[in-house]
Amino acid sequence: MNAEKIPDIIIGRLPVYLRALQRMADNGLKTTSSQELGEHVGISAAQIRKDISQFGEFGKQGTGYSIAYLLDKLREILKVDRKWDVVLVGAGDMGHALANYQGFANRGFHIVMIFDNDKEKVGQKIDQFTVEDTEKMIERVKAAGVKIAMLTVPAAAAQSVTDKLMQAGVKAFLNYAPISLNVPNNVKVQYIDPATHLQRMTYYL
Amino acid sequence: MNAEKIPDIIIGRLPVYLRALQRMADNGLKTTSSQELGEHVGISAAQIRKDISQFGEFGKQGTGYSIAYLLDKLREILKVDRKWDVVLVGAGDMGHALANYQGFANRGFHIVMIFDNDKEKVGQKIDQFTVEDTEKMIERVKAAGVKIAMLTVPAAAAQSVTDKLMQAGVKAFLNYAPISLNVPNNVKVQYIDPATHLQRMTYYL
């Protein structure tokens, strides 16, 4: 197995398999097949077998996959067999929703700090967090060794916040600001922009 | 031009070009090149030229693209040269953030109704909306002819809400619930799940 050689499109499907398998496990299931998993995620059984086989032999012909084993392996591959600290920048509506979101902890993530540059928001409590001033962001993030950030700042601020966070050592950005970010090749960005997602579907309507 | 033949991956990039071009226009720019646009969106100039040429000849060798013209064409192709009504289901934190989000109106979308099945939320005001009971959802959505829905419901409720909305005529879903939806081929789904997006990046860390 050579991690560098796995196409990114396959990596992108693994979290979806992981999520579906976790749901099966939560429902008390012990084993599954590529067929059954495929029905849950809307991907063909052949594609799933091919994707998973990139990482080794995890299932047996005829008996299918052990859900617990496959969960362990997928978590290991995706490196969410540990807990990642995440910094959240932007304490507006979306920042609040993410700070209160209960779906991170059991999937490998843990928000540890929230920043905003608005002096009225600094010092506010969100869930168990106190919003901190972005002036202290580089220093704080660097000291804590945080590698992942979620940005819910306005588009106009997103690049400068990104530059500062990269300076602090952040290597992965989940960007809710409606703008593309300029980052070097060794930094990853995923985009969440509801209008962009909607526009991708209206083409077909 | 045969709309059916354009690969979905190209369609997925068009909203990103549209967003960057709109930003250039807002900044007072009149023309751009595939090179310049590429730097904004992190996609090669060659890829951009190839993507755009699928739909006709919109630029001139040497003089580049008229931003206003390309904006018009992209809006027309993506069918966001009109305003689409959108129904929002789920009046929790994320539903509130979306209801208050200012980024839909100028990109072709308009939330028209918000539903929740929680009797304590029904009747609540969010922005200019009153949260309505999901019991009336099928009837209301059908009568209004809404084709697009955003779901911010719990995973366990997402499929049944989707089934009801399809019954009411909805053809496109932006799903924030952390679960894959089963829909027929003529119905589109886009997924927004922050933990899935984050897990896709940890692989590389």
Side-chain angles (χ1 to χ4, degrees), chain A residues 7-80:
Chain A
D8 183 60
I9 192 151
I10 294 181
I11 303 305
R13 286 192 288 261
L14 300 185
V16 177
Y17 301 159
L18 178 58
R19 187 175 69 181
L21 289 162
Q22 184 59 60
R23 205 168 164 76
M24 289 179 185
D26 292 345
N27 290 336
L29 292 176
K30 303 293 181 202
T31 60
T32 189
S33 62
S34 50
Q35 187 67 40
E36 185 181 49
L37 180 56
E39 282 163 18
H40 280 282
V41 298
I43 293 170
S44 76
Q47 183 70 66
I48 289 175
R49 282 195 299 273
K50 201 173 152 196
D51 287 354
I52 290 176
S53 70
Q54 301 275 330
F55 302 94
E57 274 304 321
F58 298 146
K60 282 184 202 143
Q61 190 70 35
T63 61
Y65 299 105
S66 152
I67 292 174
Y69 182 72
L70 196 50
L71 277 172
D72 276 352
K73 283 294 163 189
L74 285 173
R75 286 200 196 99
E76 193 183 314
I77 292 164
L78 292 170
K79 299 184 192 160
V80 289

Side-chain angles (χ1 to χ4, degrees), chain A residues 32 40 44-45 85-86 99 109 123 139 141 155-156 162 168-169 174:
Chain A
T32 189
H40 280 282
S44 76
D85 288 345
V86 177
F109 303 98
E139 186 190 334
V141 170
T162 300
L174 183 57

Side-chain angles (χ1 to χ4, degrees), chain B residues 166-192:
Chain B
M166 287 194 292
Q167 206 181 317
V170 172
K171 297 286 182 201
F173 291 86
L174 184 57
N175 180 29
Y176 283 78
I179 189 167
S180 300
L181 299 177
N182 289 315
V183 299
N185 279 334
N186 66 335
V187 172
K188 296 288 166 188
V189 185
Q190 287 277 303
Y191 293 95
I192 290 184

Side-chain angles (χ1 to χ4, degrees), chain A residues 63-191:
Chain A
T63 61
Y65 299 105
S66 152
I67 292 174
Y69 182 72
L70 196 50
L71 277 172
D72 276 352
K73 283 294 163 189
L74 285 173
R75 286 200 196 99
E76 193 183 314
I77 292 164
L78 292 170
K79 299 184 192 160
V80 289
D81 52 352
R82 66 210 78 173
K83 198 80 120 224
W84 292 90
D85 288 345
V86 177
V87 53
L88 173 61
V89 188
D93 282 333
M94 190 57 70
H96 273 78
L98 289 173
N100 292 321
Y101 184 59
Q102 300 304 309
F104 289 125
N106 61 353
R107 296 175 69 191
F109 303 98
H110 180 226
I111 294 176
V112 290
M113 304 171 195
I114 303 179
F115 292 93
D116 203 291
N117 70 349
D118 180 345
K119 304 293 175 197
E120 294 205 0
K121 286 180 183 152
V122 172
Q124 267 187 14
K125 282 273 183 192
I126 305 182
D127 200 36
Q128 80 272 40
F129 304 102
T130 303
V131 178
E132 302 181 61
D133 194 324
T134 41
E135 280 180 13
K136 294 175 188 154
M137 186 174 71
I138 296 178
E139 186 190 334
R140 290 266 293 132
V141 170
K142 196 182 245 172
V146 182
K147 298 293 172 217
I148 303 176
M150 296 195 287
L151 307 187
T152 60
V153 298
Q159 186 64 50
S160 76
V161 169
T162 300
D163 293 342
K164 284 177 189 153
L165 287 169
M166 287 193 291
Q167 206 181 316
V170 172
K171 296 287 184 201
F173 291 86
L174 183 57
N175 179 29
Y176 283 78
I179 190 168
S180 300
L181 299 177
N182 288 315
V183 299
N185 279 335
N186 65 334
V187 172
K188 296 288 166 188
V189 184
Q190 287 277 304
Y191 293 95

Side-chain angles (χ1 to χ4, degrees), chain B residues 61-94:
Chain B
Q61 191 69 37
T63 62
Y65 299 104
S66 153
I67 291 174
Y69 183 72
L70 196 51
L71 276 173
D72 276 352
K73 283 295 163 189
L74 285 173
R75 287 200 193 99
E76 193 183 313
I77 292 163
L78 292 170
K79 299 185 192 158
V80 289
D81 51 352
R82 64 209 78 173
K83 199 81 120 222
W84 293 88
D85 288 345
V86 177
V87 53
L88 172 61
V89 188
D93 282 332
M94 190 58 70

